[in-house]
Amino acid sequence: MWRKSAVAVKHFSVWVLLVSLISAAAFSMGGRLIIANLTHFKAEIEQELAQYGITGVSLDSIQGSWRGLHPLLKIKGASLSIPGRSQALSISELDLSVKLFPSLISADLKLASFHTRIEKLVLVHDAEGKWWLNDIPLSAQTADSSNTLDIHALFSRLPDAVSVDIGQLLLRDQLSDVDYMIQASSLNSQRHDEKLALSLQLGLPDSLGQRFKLLLTGNAERQQVYVEARELNLVRWLQLAGFRDLPIRQALFSLNSWMELERYQLTRALNEASLNRVYLNQPAANSSPARIIKASIIQSIEHREKHWRFDSLLKNVNLDGQRMDGFRSQIYVQPHQSPLMWIDRVKVEDLLELFAPMIESETLKQRLVSLQPRATIHDLVAQLDEEDLARSLLSLKFSGLKSKPHESFPGVNNLDGQLLYENRNAHLRLDSSALSVDFGNLLRDPLQADKFAASLQLSSNEKGLIL
């Protein structure tokens, strides 16, 4: 009996609230008198608004008006609760559009849309790599916790249409001790049944890039995400992601990305990216001008049962105005194992042209200049063991190896072979046709060989090297 009475009081309070809003919109004085008498139903009204995550509302802060056939609630000084968080997001003013007839018929508050403008938000990346929004944790607070922000749960509580304008978003990176001011941003969502469509646009400062847009669609189980970014400062974004000691000091990055997610965990992605004005870090003693690199990348990513696979195509590579060959690569990442990488084909001279300025040893650098090695590497497979490099894996084939004679090194022309190094054992096989070997001043002419084959086995143990 008591339960039925409580439900009746609740429905009556909502009905009185709606009628008062209509009256407030049509007859200002009469509406205010009715609203003034709603204090008897304050708890029930607060409960109705709390269904949408709106808390901290006082009756004095509610005003009514009209938009077409929809009554409008204008609420000041409210807060928006976040699912899974004890903190709430303070909002100075809310505009709520009420579904008039469904609310009157059901005696339950039905909201059609939610609009607010937030003058300033503070997004912090702290020294531990965690993210906070106005002191609200956005990421899990412990390593074994799955208490990450549930985006779908957040927007499923709100009305079908949500529009949020953000005047200023202060992005504070405590790791780098740098602040970024992002202005004129917006967040919009549309919900139909269990499907959510969410869009986010950021007005980036010049220090971060030109434009960033994100579109998300899907339900609680499966989602699709599209990201468009233009002329991002790649170094700054990588630093925000927690990366340090980067091999590049400047780069502009543009991206189009299509992603598939399951319960907001990435399962598949297709990326089209371009790199422009990439400057590599060079040793402090190197006085040569910085190299300018441009490139385009097409990449697919798959994630299944903790296994990651990255397939990439690097093309349109340009170094200081000189075009270079691209290549295909695959990277496999498995739990408790070092990443396994494969590259289909790459030229040694291109690698030296790109990375030689980063070599700190002047002796090695001069030796490479004198030898002038040239070759094509095929089917390069590498798996580096960071804890013990001697236990790493390296396998490759090479063809057309050329080098000039230098000191005790003879010059070669048209040398083919393959190398396998695995767990402290190396095997080198040479098999060439029309090979020539140049001993410099030792012999007048290079030695010619119609056919050359050799095999070299090298292993190491506690006693030393075995050849």
Side-chain angles (χ1 to χ4, degrees), residues 4-70:
K4 292 182 178 179
S5 299
V7 172
V9 170
K10 172 190 170 187
H11 286 183
F12 180 70
S13 67
V14 175
W15 186 86
V16 173
L17 172 62
L18 293 171
V19 172
S20 67
L21 291 173
I22 296 172
S23 302
F27 311 101
S28 177
M29 181 61 68
R32 291 184 184 277
L33 289 175
I34 297 177
I35 290 179
N37 291 319
L38 286 179
T39 55
H40 299 290
F41 311 105
K42 182 177 185 296
E44 288 78 10
I45 293 171
E46 290 178 349
Q47 183 178 350
E48 288 291 322
L49 294 175
Q51 294 179 4
Y52 294 93
I54 301 169
T55 60
V57 179
S58 65
L59 295 179
D60 294 337
S61 67
I62 301 177
Q63 296 180 352
S65 62
W66 283 94
R67 178 183 294 164
L69 295 177
H70 296 288

Side-chain angles (χ1 to χ4, degrees), residues 28-255:
S28 177
M29 181 61 68
R32 291 184 184 277
L33 289 175
I34 297 177
I35 290 179
N37 291 319
L38 286 179
T39 55
H40 299 290
F41 311 105
K42 182 177 185 296
E44 288 78 10
I45 293 171
E46 290 178 349
Q47 183 178 350
E48 288 291 322
L49 294 175
Q51 294 179 4
Y52 294 93
I54 301 169
T55 60
V57 179
S58 65
L59 295 179
D60 294 337
S61 67
I62 301 177
Q63 296 180 352
S65 62
W66 283 94
R67 178 183 294 164
L69 295 177
H70 296 288
L72 292 182
L73 286 174
K74 185 179 291 291
I75 302 175
K76 296 183 178 180
S79 298
L80 182 64
S81 63
I82 307 297
R85 299 294 186 271
S86 59
Q87 303 92 334
L89 182 64
S90 298
I91 299 176
S92 58
E93 190 171 283
L94 287 173
D95 289 335
L96 305 176
S97 177
V98 179
K99 295 180 179 179
L100 177 60
F101 295 110
S103 297
L104 289 174
I105 293 172
S106 65
D108 196 7
L109 187 63
K110 305 290 184 182
L111 298 182
S113 65
F114 169 115
H115 173 76
T116 185
R117 175 176 174 80
I118 302 175
E119 293 300 329
K120 187 173 182 179
L121 287 176
V122 179
L123 183 63
V124 178
H125 188 213
D126 68 16
E128 298 179 357
K130 297 176 182 177
W131 289 91
W132 302 75
L133 178 64
N134 284 21
D135 298 327
I136 301 173
L138 300 181
S139 54
Q141 297 302 293
T142 58
D144 58 349
S145 174
S146 59
N147 187 27
T148 55
L149 181 63
D150 191 336
I151 297 176
H152 200 274
L154 172 61
F155 283 92
S156 63
R157 316 192 332 171
L158 298 176
D160 295 343
V162 174
S163 174
V164 180
D165 295 328
I166 304 172
Q168 293 180 339
L169 174 61
L170 178 61
L171 178 56
R172 176 162 294 163
D173 184 14
Q174 293 183 347
L175 286 170
S176 302
D177 195 23
V178 179
D179 291 348
Y180 305 97
M181 184 61 72
I182 300 175
Q183 299 184 358
S185 302
S186 64
L187 176 67
N188 297 279
S189 74
Q190 293 284 339
R191 185 166 49 85
H192 181 69
D193 295 331
E194 295 298 323
K195 293 184 178 179
L196 174 68
L198 180 69
S199 67
L200 172 66
Q201 297 193 49
L202 300 178
L204 299 177
D206 293 339
S207 56
L208 287 180
Q210 289 187 0
R211 184 171 73 252
F212 180 89
K213 180 172 69 175
L214 180 146
L215 303 175
L216 181 148
T217 59
N219 53 30
E221 294 296 323
R222 296 180 180 274
Q223 303 83 36
Q224 298 80 41
V225 176
Y226 169 71
V227 174
E228 178 187 353
R230 290 291 173 267
E231 299 291 318
L232 299 186
N233 186 325
L234 183 59
V235 174
R236 296 288 179 89
W237 285 93
L238 289 175
Q239 289 174 346
L240 283 172
F243 293 94
R244 294 295 180 268
D245 300 325
L246 298 171
I248 56 177
R249 62 180 177 87
Q250 180 180 330
L252 295 180
F253 179 71
S254 296
L255 171 70

Side-chain angles (χ1 to χ4, degrees), residues 267-295:
T267 59
R268 184 174 299 175
L270 176 62
N271 303 319
E272 294 181 356
S274 63
L275 289 167
N276 193 12
R277 290 169 56 188
V278 180
Y279 292 84
L280 297 176
N281 279 328
Q282 298 182 164
N286 193 335
S287 59
S288 59
R291 320 301 300 277
I292 304 177
I293 306 171
K294 299 179 181 180

